[in-house]
Amino acid sequence: MTLISLKDAAITLGAPLFSNLNLTLHPGNRMGIVAPNGRGKSTFLRALAGQGDLTSGSLTRRRGLITGYLEQDVPDTLARQPLRHAVLSALSPEARESEGWRADIALDDLSIPAELHDRPVGALSGGWQRFAMLARVWVTEPDVLLLDEPTNELDLARIGLLQRWIRALPRETALIVASHDRAFLDDVCTHTLFLRPDHSAVFALPYGPALVALDEADAAQDRQYQNDLRAARQLRRQAAKLKNIGINSGSDLLVMKTKQLNERAARLEDAALPAHQQRSAGAIRLGNSGSHAKALIAVEATAVLAPDGRRLFRAPQLWIGPGERVVLLGANGVGKSRFLDLVIEGLRGAPGPVRAAPSVVAGISDQRLTALPGEVAPHALIAGRFDIGDQPARTLLAGAGIAIALQGKPIRHLSGGQKARLAMLMLRLAKPNFYLLDEPTNHLDIEGQEALETELASHGAAALIVSHDRSFVRTTGTRFWWIRAGALTEVESPEPFFAAALGGEPAR
Ligand SMILES: Nc1ncnc2c1ncn2[C@@H]1O[C@H](COP(=O)(O)OP(=O)(O)OP(=O)(O)O)[C@@H](O)[C@H]1O
Ligand SMILES: [Mg+2]
C-alpha cells in the first residue's frame, strides 16, 4: 500500500529546488530530508501537506489520507490561544464536542505538564511551543507526520523525549522529517532523502549510513563522468588525425569517418553527467570590535521572576569580561530566556540588576529572529539600518546566501536558515563587542553551524549564549552557568548537564 507517491516531481521557486523526483512512501517508513539551507525542504513538505503546488510532475495521496504537518515556524494565530484550547481547535467542531479527551491524551503523550495547559501558547518557552504544535498535529491521528525541523528550540531532554515519542508511534504511521540534527535523524529515520536541484537521492538507510552511500554514489558518478569525458577526448583526437590524413589524401570515406567520430564524441559529452557539487548556502562572518572595560556585563545577586511574578531561580553576583563566552545551561522553561531578557534590559540601560559597561556595543540575536520584520525586504532592511551604499548592500546579502532575486522580496519568503543568516549579517554590521545569542544554530545547516562556531572563537568575541547544540556549546563556550534546582551556579564543564539532560533527568 502506498501512502504518497511522487512522479517526476519538480518545484522551481526562482531557481529549481528539485526536479525528476520519484518517491513512494509506505506505511511505517520514517524518512529524513537533508539539504543545505534554502534548498526547498520546507517547500517540499508544504506541497506534501497540500499547502503548495508542484511546478511539474504528479503527487498522489491515498484516498482519505490524514497528514499532520508541523511547520518550521510557530504561526502567529496560535500565540494568544491557551495551550489546551489550541490543541482542541485542531479537531473538527463535532469531535471537539464529543471527543475533547483526545486533546488530553495528546498532551499527555507528549508529557506536557498540566500547569502549562491553560497558558497562552505565546507565553510558553520556545521548546514547549513546538511541543504544543506537535500535540495539535497528533490529536488529528494522522497517517503521515510531516515534521519541519522539529528539534529547533528543544533542549536535550526534550529531544530525547521526542525521539522516544517517535519510536512509540503506531508501527504503520509514516514520518517525513526535515532536520539538520544528525544524531536525531540517525535515531528516528529508516530512509533518507537528499534533496537536490537534480538527481535527488533516496536510500533505505538512516542518515549516517545513507551519507556514506551517497558519497559512494557521487564518487562513482564522478568516475563515470571523467571516463566519459576521457573517451570523448580520445575520439576527438582520432578524428583530428583522420581529418588530416583525409585532407591530404582527398578521401571522402575518411572525411565521413571523421564526422562520425566527432558526432560520437559530442553524444558522449552531452550524456556525461557531472557529479553533484554542493553549493554553500552563504558565508557567516562575525567580528569583535573590542573593549577595554574589565567587566562588560555585571549582574547583582537577584531573584529572577517569570512575567507573572513566579520565582524562577536565584542568581548570585556575576560578571562577563572581554573574550569570555558564557553558555547558560538549563532545561527548557527553567528561565534561561527570562535571564537573557534581564541582560537585554541592562544592555538598553534600563534600571535593574544588570549593568553594561558604557563601551559595550551589543549584538543581540533572539530565538525568534524578531529583528527581522516579515514584510520588509532584506535589501531595504540592510540599506535602511546601516550606512552602506546600494551596491555594497547587494554584495553583502549575496555573500550571506540571499540571492539577488530574493533581496527585494519580503523577508517572509526566506527559508528559516536564510533568515538566520540575514540576522547574522545584521549582527556583524552592528560591529558589536558583546554578543547575546539565543539558540543561534536554530535553522542553520551543518556548514552554517560550524562557520558560526569558528567565527565566534577566532575573533575572541565576548558572548552570552543559550544553545541546545552540544557541539556548538563545547567549541564556543569558555564559561558555563547552570540553572537548576532554583539556582544559577557556575560549573567547570557542560558535560554533567548534558549527561543529566539526555538521561531524562528533569534538571529543574
Ligand atoms: N517567491 C519566491 N521567489 C523566489 N524564491 C523564493 C520565493 N519564496 C521562497 N523562495 C526561495 O525558495 C527556497 C526554498 O525555501 P525553503 O524554505 O523550502 O528551504 P529549506 O530547505 O526549508 O531551508 P531551511 O533549511 O533554511 O529551512 C529558498 O531559497 C527561498 O528563499
Ligand atoms: Mg525549512
Side-chain angles (χ1 to χ4, degrees):
M1 190 180 26
T2 303
L3 301 177
I4 296 179
S5 75
L6 288 150
K7 199 160 176 331
D8 299 329
I11 295 188
T12 296
L13 262 184
L17 296 176
F18 59 89
S19 59
N20 298 320
L21 181 63
N22 293 294
L23 193 76
T24 44
L25 186 75
H26 298 285
N29 285 172
R30 310 276 159 95
M31 185 178 290
I33 309 179
V34 179
N37 286 141
R39 297 298 155 73
K41 298 178 296 297
S42 298
T43 310
F44 179 55
L45 284 176
R46 220 173 286 131
L48 291 178
Q51 297 187 10
D53 295 323
L54 297 177
T55 309
S56 63
S58 68
L59 165 66
T60 319
R61 256 175 290 240
R62 196 194 68 195
R63 194 193 300 251
L65 186 80
I66 302 177
T67 51
Y69 171 40
L70 178 81
E71 292 153 84
Q72 190 169 350
D73 295 313
V74 182
D76 294 338
T77 45
L78 282 185
R80 258 186 301 237
Q81 296 186 32
L83 169 55
R84 187 171 179 280
H85 183 268
V87 177
L88 270 176
S89 67
L91 292 170
S92 67
E94 309 83 68
R96 226 174 290 162
E97 283 285 311
S98 57
E99 295 174 64
W101 50 268
R102 273 168 48 188
D104 296 312
I105 291 188
L107 290 164
D108 192 49
D109 277 353
L110 286 159
S111 313
I112 302 178
E115 76 244 34
L116 302 184
H117 293 186
D118 295 323
R119 293 222 193 121
V121 173
L124 301 174
S125 67
W128 284 127
Q129 292 196 16
R130 205 153 284 270
F131 264 46
M133 286 166 58
L134 196 55
R136 261 173 70 79
V137 165
W138 186 229
V139 76
T140 61
E141 299 181 345
D143 306 301
V144 181
L145 280 165
L146 305 170
L147 309 183
D148 201 349
E149 304 206 11
T151 63
N152 282 352
E153 293 163 277
L154 299 191
D155 67 356
L156 279 178
R158 221 121 318 194
I159 292 177
L161 218 147
L162 180 64
Q163 289 179 175
R164 289 194 290 279
W165 180 78
I166 291 175
R167 267 186 253 128
L169 287 173
R171 262 181 52 152
E172 64 283 4
T173 305
L175 168 76
I176 303 188
V177 55
S179 176
H180 301 293
D181 185 330
R182 292 160 277 184
F184 171 76
L185 286 170
D186 266 332
D187 192 87
V188 301
C189 293
T190 58
H191 289 61
T192 304
L193 162 65
F194 294 94
L195 199 66
R196 292 171 161 185
D198 40 35
H199 311 292
S200 295
V202 191
F203 298 95
L205 294 168
Y207 172 73
L211 193 62
V212 174
L214 180 77
D215 284 346
E216 278 167 13
D218 280 345
Q221 176 73 46
D222 190 52
R223 280 196 298 275
Q224 181 66 44
Y225 179 63
Q226 300 301 344
N227 283 344
D228 289 351
L229 291 190
R230 209 172 301 123
R233 273 199 305 273
Q234 216 159 1
L235 288 173
R236 287 203 188 277
R237 269 201 299 274
Q238 281 176 13
K241 257 192 226 153
L242 282 187
K243 191 173 165 200
N244 276 338
I245 303 171
I247 290 169
N248 291 336
S249 66
S251 155
D252 286 348
L253 185 70
L254 284 185
V255 172
M256 202 160 76
K257 194 91 183 134
T258 307
K259 197 166 154 240
Q260 281 171 353
L261 283 175
N262 272 328
E263 280 168 2
R264 266 175 60 200
R267 273 200 301 276
L268 260 179
E269 284 159 358
D270 283 350
L273 286 175
H276 176 80
Q277 296 284 332
Q278 192 80 278
R279 266 185 311 123
S280 155
I284 292 180
R285 294 218 177 79
L286 293 174
N288 173 22
S289 58
S291 161
H292 295 298
K294 272 216 182 72
L296 298 176
I297 303 290
V299 187
E300 288 168 17
T302 187
V304 176
L305 307 178
D308 61 10
R310 272 179 311 124
R311 179 176 163 145
L312 295 168
F313 63 91
R314 276 176 292 107
Q317 199 182 19
L318 299 160
W319 52 87
I320 303 177
E324 292 181 339
R325 289 182 297 279
V326 178
V327 183
L328 202 54
L329 307 167
N332 259 163
V334 88
K336 298 188 297 293
S337 291
R338 193 63 204 129
F339 186 73
L340 292 191
D341 287 345
L342 284 181
V343 176
I344 292 173
E345 283 167 22
L347 288 167
R348 299 206 165 121
V354 181
R355 269 177 305 110
S359 61
V360 166
V361 182
I364 301 173
S365 166
D366 67 300
Q367 209 169 359
R368 291 281 140 61
L369 305 176
T370 44
L372 302 180
E375 294 310 318
V376 178
H379 184 270
L381 183 71
I382 295 283
R385 194 142 328 159
F386 303 97
D387 190 18
I388 44 173
D390 174 64
Q391 196 50 43
R394 284 189 194 290
T395 312
L396 281 170
L397 284 165
I402 299 168
I404 298 283
L406 278 167
Q407 296 183 1
K409 294 216 167 91
I411 286 172
R412 68 182 152 78
H413 287 300
L414 299 186
S415 78
Q418 287 167 333
K419 282 187 209 151
R421 285 158 187 276
L422 176 59
M424 292 296 153
L425 175 60
M426 302 251 300
L427 276 190
R428 170 185 159 204
L429 292 174
K431 298 199 174 70
N433 52 23
F434 177 75
Y435 286 92
L436 191 138
L437 305 171
D438 192 358
E439 298 289 6
T441 58
N442 258 350
H443 305 288
L444 285 181
D445 59 23
I446 292 153
E447 185 203 83
Q449 295 168 17
E450 288 172 353
L452 184 59
E453 287 169 8
T454 315
E455 282 297 298
L456 283 170
S458 65
H459 293 292
L464 179 61
I465 299 166
V466 171
S467 169
H468 69 260
D469 182 325
R470 276 169 288 169
S471 147
F472 184 77
V473 170
R474 286 184 180 121
T475 37
T476 52
T478 63
R479 293 174 64 193
F480 305 94
W481 295 350
W482 186 357
I483 305 170
R484 68 179 148 163
L488 182 155
T489 42
E490 176 139 13
V491 289
E492 285 294 308
S493 141
E495 303 305 327
F497 165 72
F498 292 155
L502 272 180
E505 183 191 308
R508 270 170 179 274

